[in-house]
Amino acid sequence: MDHGGAVRWIEVLDRMGMKFGLERMQALMSALGQPVAGIPAVHVVGTNGKSSVTRMTAAILTAHGVRTGAYISPHITGWGERVALDGVDISPGAFAHAASRVSDAVSGVPGGAITQFEALTAVALDALGTARAEVIVLEAGLGGRLDATNVVAADVVALTGVDLDHTELLGETLPQIAAEKLAVARDGLGAVLLGPLASGARDAVAPIMARRGLSGWAVGQEIAVRSGNGLLVTISTPNGALADMDIPVHGDWQRGNLALAVGAAEQVLGRGVDRGRVERAIREMRNPGRLQIILGSPIIVLDGAHNPAGAAALAATLPEILGDIRPVAVIGMMADKDASGICEALAPAISAACVTRASSGRAIRPEFIARMLEIRGVPVQVVPGPARALERACLDAGPNGAVLVAGSLHLLSDLAPIAVASGSENASGRLAAAHGRDASAEEIWGQ
């Protein structure tokens, strides 16, 4: 199977839909010879911020000389974005090789079929094992207990936060959702890292931690984060303080994610981290679609906020990035999301909106989103097609204004290449062109 065939195979599997459970993944891992057995792993779970924490943790570990693999989902720029080794996306050859092995192993799976996410997870683990990663940092897809990523025995678990999302699958209360996410930690694990949890989430998590003998560090307790002038940030852990780091990380929530990543990296290393290496790691890190800033005329901000909590955090951060400018928003959402709650959070932070439909079969009709914004006083246009919506928003914002793209990672996937081509990225959202990484990718991945 060549790279093109591997991509086609992955895309066809989308028809299988979503199926919770670990039986198929366990069979796959057995058929593949347990490719990551014995490799230390950091498992990142939570409602929001998982990709950022995964990438930050991996980048910090790489900067400290550890050959580190990362697995995130979903992607913005292409399937290969989901798997990285030392910050370099998987090479086409390594992707094809792993996909071929996983495809051959499917015959031994109960039912003889796997889902797309199971296939991608297996491809990532097989490729990272083959490439001799020394540590793996992986993001849970949904929940944790029955997620395909839970075939890896985690040495460190990082919980970014707990909020009401995917309630039809994970439970309708914060304690139920927290229990599903923390199920990736084995009983008695002493390396559980908690992000800056809201009071309700803390109340939900505490009894689960006590009942299961889980312990570790929490942002706001053992881990402290403080903002200084400009983009200076100080992070303190039981290992010491990283004072006045000059890092382009915007928003209290994203600085909280960084603090969580620092704590996770220190748990893996068993010691404190170096301030200069952390600064360099985060400055050079790629994080597409997560508070990604495209400098141009107008400025474009891309963020994957797709639930009310994420949208509220984004709205609170925009003034830090844009000052007094209120952006024109390009918004599209999936049908299973809380459109009303997302619109409630974003409405005060935007000047107008171009609502469209992302290229996904699960996308909600834009007229419904438009109505949710209109009743909150936002001037709205319904624009067919994401590209046309972005063009309209840029015209409305003008060269001195700003555009925000949010509401769905599917929408970001549609528009990120166009937005990046229109401007230049700053260090908080560097998106390297694929051809610029080919040589290093082949060298690092060995395929």
Side-chain angles (χ1 to χ4, degrees):
M1 186 185 296
D2 61 11
H3 182 257
V7 169
R8 288 190 292 274
W9 175 66
I10 290 290
E11 291 176 343
V12 166
L13 290 176
D14 190 40
R15 301 171 188 169
M16 287 291 296
M18 181 189 301
K19 293 182 179 180
F20 268 2
L22 297 178
E23 186 180 13
R24 293 177 301 277
M25 277 299 296
Q26 289 167 341
L28 268 182
M29 291 296 100
S30 178
L32 293 168
Q34 304 297 343
V36 295
I39 300 177
V42 180
H43 208 159
V44 182
V45 297
T47 303
N48 291 311
K50 294 189 295 295
S51 292
S52 293
V53 172
T54 298
R55 283 197 169 102
M56 288 174 175
T57 304
I60 293 168
L61 289 170
T62 293
H64 285 78
V66 181
R67 187 172 174 85
T68 306
Y71 175 54
I72 66 102
S73 62
H75 62 269
I76 303 297
T77 59
W79 296 109
E81 178 193 317
R82 297 188 180 215
V83 192
L85 183 63
D86 287 344
V88 177
D89 290 352
I90 189 170
S91 68
F95 188 88
H97 181 263
S100 296
R101 281 174 44 82
V102 174
S103 176
D104 290 343
V106 170
S107 60
V109 171
I114 58 175
T115 68
Q116 186 181 77
F117 186 69
E118 288 167 342
L120 288 163
T121 302
V123 165
L125 297 178
D126 189 74
L128 291 171
T130 298
R132 301 181 303 281
E134 296 172 334
V135 173
I136 295 173
V137 188
L138 70 164
E139 169 186 353
L142 186 60
R145 180 174 63 92
L146 297 176
D147 188 75
T149 58
N150 200 24
V151 292
V152 173
D155 300 271
V156 178
V157 170
L159 175 67
T160 63
V162 180
D163 214 312
L164 297 176
D165 197 16
H166 298 293
T167 53
E168 74 284 2
L169 297 170
L170 304 181
E172 297 182 352
T173 68
L174 291 180
Q176 289 173 329
I177 294 172
E180 287 290 319
K181 296 179 184 300
L182 284 173
V184 302
R186 65 182 182 275
D187 288 350
L189 182 64
V192 177
L193 287 298
L194 303 180
L197 304 180
S199 58
R202 285 198 303 272
D203 293 342
V205 166
I208 298 170
M209 296 276 289
R211 184 172 66 250
R212 298 191 48 218
L214 304 176
S215 61
W217 299 342
V219 176
Q221 297 180 39
E222 294 83 3
I223 304 174
V225 55
R226 176 176 56 82
S227 301
N229 295 327
L231 293 177
L232 298 181
V233 59
T234 296
I235 295 173
S236 302
T237 75
N239 291 314
L242 307 174
D244 293 330
M245 291 186 292
D246 186 8
I247 298 177
V249 175
H250 295 277
D252 289 341
W253 58 283
Q254 196 70 320
R255 287 186 282 269
N257 285 338
L258 175 58
L260 185 60
V262 166
E266 290 193 351
Q267 290 282 353
V268 172
L269 295 171
R271 56 180 171 83
V273 293
D274 178 77
R275 175 183 179 276
R277 294 188 183 195
V278 173
E279 283 185 321
R280 183 170 66 254
I282 303 305
R283 283 186 171 279
E284 296 177 355
M285 183 190 74
R286 300 169 55 240
N287 201 16
R290 281 78 178 180
L291 210 60
Q292 183 180 358
I293 302 166
I294 313 296
L295 298 179
S297 302
I299 294 170
I300 300 175
V301 179
L302 307 175
D303 192 76
H306 57 276
N307 54 45
L314 170 61
T317 302
L318 286 174
E320 182 179 310
I321 300 170
L322 302 175
D324 294 332
I325 300 174
R326 293 172 67 218
V328 177
V330 179
I331 297 177
M333 301 179 200
M334 298 297 104
D336 61 343
K337 297 303 177 183
D338 181 358
S340 178
I342 295 171
C343 291
E344 181 74 24
L346 290 179
I350 61 178
S351 61
C354 296
V355 181
T356 191
R357 185 169 188 164
S359 57
S360 167
R362 296 190 296 109
I364 196 172
R365 294 178 64 249
E367 290 80 6
F368 178 76
I369 303 170
R371 179 58 182 157
M372 293 295 99
L373 290 168
E374 285 171 345
I375 63 178
R376 291 167 173 84
V378 178
V380 180
Q381 302 174 64
V382 174
V383 183
R388 289 178 59 188
L390 179 61
E391 181 182 15
R392 180 72 260 171
C394 288
L395 289 172
D396 290 350
N400 297 317
V403 170
L404 169 69
V405 181
S408 166
L409 287 165
H410 290 279
L411 181 65
L412 263 62
S413 182
D414 291 334
L415 294 180
I418 301 171
V420 171
S422 73
S424 61
E425 290 184 275
N426 69 0
S428 69
R430 190 171 289 111
L431 181 61
H435 63 79
R437 288 181 172 265
D438 279 352
S440 59
E442 297 298 340
E443 180 179 320
I444 287 175
W445 283 91
Q447 292 285 341

